[in-house]
Amino acid sequence: MTALDLSSPVAVVGTGTMGQGIAQVALVAGHRVRLYDAAAGRAREAAEAIGARLDRLVEKDRLAAADRDAARDRLLPAQSLSELADCSLVVEAVLERLDAKQELLRELEGIVGEDCLLATNTSSLSVTAIGAALRNPGRFLGLHFFNPAPLLPLVEVVSGFATDVSSATRAYEMARAWGKTPVACADTPGFIVNRIARPFYAEAFAVYEAQGAEPATIDAVLRESGGFRMGAFELTDLIGQDVNESVTHSVWQSFFQDVRFTPSLAQRRLVESGRLGRKSGHGWYDYGDDAESAEPHTAEPAQPPAYVVVEGDLGPASELLALIREAGIAVREEDEDHGTRLVLPGGGQLALADGQTSVEFRDVVYFDLALDYRKATRIALSASQDTAPKTLAEATGLFQALGKDVSVIGDVPGMIVARTVARIVDLAHDAVAKGVATQEDIDTAMRLGVNYPLGPFEWSRKLGRNWAYALLDDLHLRDPSGRYAPSLALYRHAYATDKREGSTS
């Protein structure tokens, strides 16, 4: 099955931001494109707006003037749905209301030919439910573009329960012919990206609600230690708190209020107060003209320890040992069975976040996960009220000697980056086990759709197959609500590894 022939016209119904973006993508790919909007004059206005964007591409030398002129000639506003009769694909991008989409598609089904693909760009509704209104739901599917559609490469090709394999294949190949990167996905709440990305926001908000750290500190740790392009608070301010919360609420409801997707009460209060982010001038942060920039907590300079003692294997943090030696701090190694930690000169211990809390131990400081400890510019430390000040000072001085800013947060199990990554990895394994998508497509979707530094399975391979399961299992013991309970898929993944290594634990 091949992509749509360029001689075949394509239609977009709904001329908002997404509708215009999808139309521009099809237009630049070489199709004739028909634009329709129920509001009088809106399609012509959208065509003019697309033309203006093509002009800007020419000005930036991203499009030849001749290609722009040809594209403009192929763009035709339609005054009625009947003008779409000869189209080979119609994508609807109208209101996110099930009844409105179903009514439109029923009308289209009576107009277009039997071989015309019908698609929805919905991000929150069930593709299966929308398609249930059709006589032939086999030719209907989801084409979820990301905003702005002309710039972002990812397209989730979503097969509803009744979508024919041939229809999904045609749409997949079409998206690829348009220069996009398609990923195949079953019809599940949130599809790939909006399902698996929920912990990125949820865990940041949970740390804040537990008074573990302020938004600016959490964001800085996610960026400078976790390698994420933006922190959760600044990103949701950019998206719009109302929009982000709506997606979270939709996924939570669609999964029958599964505790793993529970929305944030703190975000709800933010929305109720009208603090919607950049668009309202205030969200988690103040964007007023006179507002001061929120700064993360950064510890005062401390004296580094003269040496550290390594007990056990530091696992994902093992690269720290080379950095410590390069900083001129002696490293003494002891082969111990009872821990994976650094022992400081004062007798206190320094351990990688593992889902436990500092208060459970005599004198322990936890440090957070980093994407790359050599490149990380900030490290978070976690301590309890019982942690000796000398231990915290030595831990702070150690990381400062490695050239890192240090943020000290509350005694939060799993800290910030570690618990976030573990939950993302878990949801990804669960999604594969339930037939939502392949590992490769999930990694592609998360890197391209939300700019994650690694896909969930890339993280999993880097950190070790048992890492996420062990951390979440410890978190679940401390919060037995079910939010952190590892999925059966992650359990099987971890157990299979242990079994090959000869362990029955």
Side-chain angles (χ1 to χ4, degrees):
M1 189 66 66
T2 57
L4 303 181
D5 192 282
L6 286 179
S7 64
S8 303
V10 168
V12 178
V13 179
T15 59
T17 301
M18 284 306 303
Q20 290 183 32
I22 295 167
Q24 182 177 330
V25 170
L27 194 64
V28 171
H31 287 274
R32 284 176 289 150
V33 176
R34 302 212 172 100
L35 280 174
Y36 175 77
D37 198 293
R42 195 71 59 81
R44 186 164 297 281
E45 291 173 4
E48 291 172 357
I50 293 170
R53 283 197 289 275
L54 296 178
D55 289 340
R56 288 195 290 275
L57 291 177
V58 172
E59 292 169 4
K60 296 177 181 178
D61 292 326
R62 296 179 183 173
L63 185 69
D67 292 336
R68 177 213 40 210
D69 295 341
R72 282 188 162 186
D73 289 341
R74 295 193 302 270
L75 183 58
L76 302 171
Q79 295 185 347
S80 69
L81 287 176
S82 62
E83 296 177 49
L84 314 184
D86 63 339
C87 290
S88 56
L89 167 70
V90 180
V91 182
E92 71 79 12
V94 300
L95 293 173
E96 285 289 276
R97 271 182 29 208
L98 180 62
D99 59 341
K101 292 180 183 293
Q102 288 182 328
E103 182 180 350
L104 168 64
L105 288 163
R106 276 194 295 263
E107 189 172 355
L108 282 169
E109 194 173 35
I111 294 170
V112 299
E114 289 297 321
D115 61 346
C116 176
L117 283 178
L118 296 175
T120 175
N121 186 57
T122 187
S123 61
S124 61
L125 299 176
S126 163
V127 171
T128 301
I130 298 171
L134 298 173
R135 294 191 309 275
N136 176 18
R139 61 167 166 176
F140 177 71
L141 71 156
L143 283 176
H144 183 216
F145 289 77
F146 287 73
N147 190 33
L151 297 179
L152 296 186
L154 186 68
V155 178
E156 293 177 318
V157 181
V158 186
S159 293
F161 189 77
T163 302
D164 292 336
V165 173
S166 60
S167 298
T169 303
R170 284 178 69 197
Y172 186 97
E173 294 301 329
M174 177 213 70
R176 188 155 61 182
W178 289 3
K180 296 301 181 183
T181 303
V183 291
C185 175
D187 184 22
T188 184
F191 309 143
I192 297 174
V193 172
N194 280 328
R195 170 178 177 154
I196 295 174
R198 295 347 292 164
F200 179 74
Y201 312 108
E203 294 312 307
F205 298 161
V207 172
Y208 169 74
E209 290 176 333
Q211 300 186 59
E214 292 299 307
T217 299
I218 298 170
D219 278 353
V221 172
L222 286 168
R223 288 193 313 269
E224 299 172 40
S225 183
F228 293 95
R229 185 167 297 184
M230 298 180 73
F233 296 90
E234 58 186 336
L235 180 55
T236 52
D237 268 358
L238 179 64
I239 294 169
Q241 297 302 331
D242 52 340
V243 174
N244 181 261
E245 191 209 27
S246 177
V247 173
T248 299
H249 197 272
S250 174
V251 171
W252 175 61
Q253 289 284 22
S254 297
F255 275 114
F256 307 106
Q257 300 185 0
D258 186 330
V259 68
R260 295 176 302 165
F261 301 100
T262 301
S264 162
L265 181 59
Q267 189 180 38
R268 174 91 290 263
R269 293 291 178 259
L270 204 66
V271 173
E272 288 175 338
S273 71
R275 294 186 171 187
L276 306 181
R278 288 183 177 273
K279 63 185 177 183
S280 69
H282 205 306
W284 295 109
Y285 300 110
D286 186 351
Y287 299 96
D289 293 337
D290 299 326
E292 295 184 5
S293 176
E295 297 296 329
H297 171 270
T298 301
E300 294 294 325
Q303 188 70 25
Y307 67 90
V308 295
V309 178
V310 185
E311 294 185 351
D313 179 8
L314 292 183
S318 59
E319 62 184 316
L320 278 175
L321 299 182
L323 299 181
I324 293 171
R325 290 188 177 100
E326 290 168 17
I329 298 172
V331 176
R332 305 173 186 172
E333 298 191 43
E334 294 184 5
D335 186 12
E336 296 285 346
D337 294 331
H338 58 271
T340 55
R341 61 193 180 185
L342 296 172
V343 180
L344 299 165
Q349 301 169 22
L350 184 59
L352 176 62
D354 59 7
Q356 301 183 84
T357 58
S358 295
V359 76
E360 299 171 53
F361 303 97
R362 182 179 62 82
D363 193 10
V364 169
V365 171
Y366 278 107
F367 64 94
D368 208 351
L369 180 69
L371 172 67
D372 183 326
Y373 282 99
R374 183 173 293 277
K375 294 180 180 178
T377 57
R378 182 177 299 272
I379 294 293
L381 301 180
S382 174
S384 75
Q385 65 271 22
D386 296 329
T387 303
K390 179 177 178 61
T391 299
L392 182 57
E394 287 180 335
T396 299
L398 173 65
F399 282 104
Q400 288 174 340
L402 306 186
K404 319 299 183 187
D405 288 328
V406 173
S407 293
V408 179
I409 70 170
D411 190 14
V412 178
M415 301 191 66
I416 298 170
V417 179
R419 70 196 289 177
T420 299
V421 170
R423 288 208 59 217
I424 289 171
V425 167
D426 183 44
L427 288 187
H429 277 280
D430 186 52
V432 169
K434 291 176 178 172
V436 173
T438 65
Q439 290 189 14
E440 293 76 16
D441 276 355
I442 287 174
D443 276 354
T444 297
M446 301 313 291
R447 281 188 282 100
L448 297 184
V450 277
N451 289 311
Y452 283 3
L454 294 176
F457 294 98
E458 292 172 316
W459 270 112
S460 186
R461 288 189 290 272
K462 175 182 172 69
L463 297 170
R465 292 173 58 123
N466 191 53
W467 178 84
Y469 175 80
L471 187 143
L472 290 175
D473 195 40
D474 275 337
L475 264 170
H476 178 53
L477 288 174
R478 287 149 186 83
D479 179 358
S481 65
R483 178 188 181 106
Y484 300 103
S487 67
L488 179 59
L490 191 63
Y491 172 79
R492 285 173 170 157
H493 179 74
Y495 178 74
T497 303
D498 285 346
K499 188 173 181 180
R500 283 196 296 273
E501 295 170 352
S503 170
T504 57
S505 60

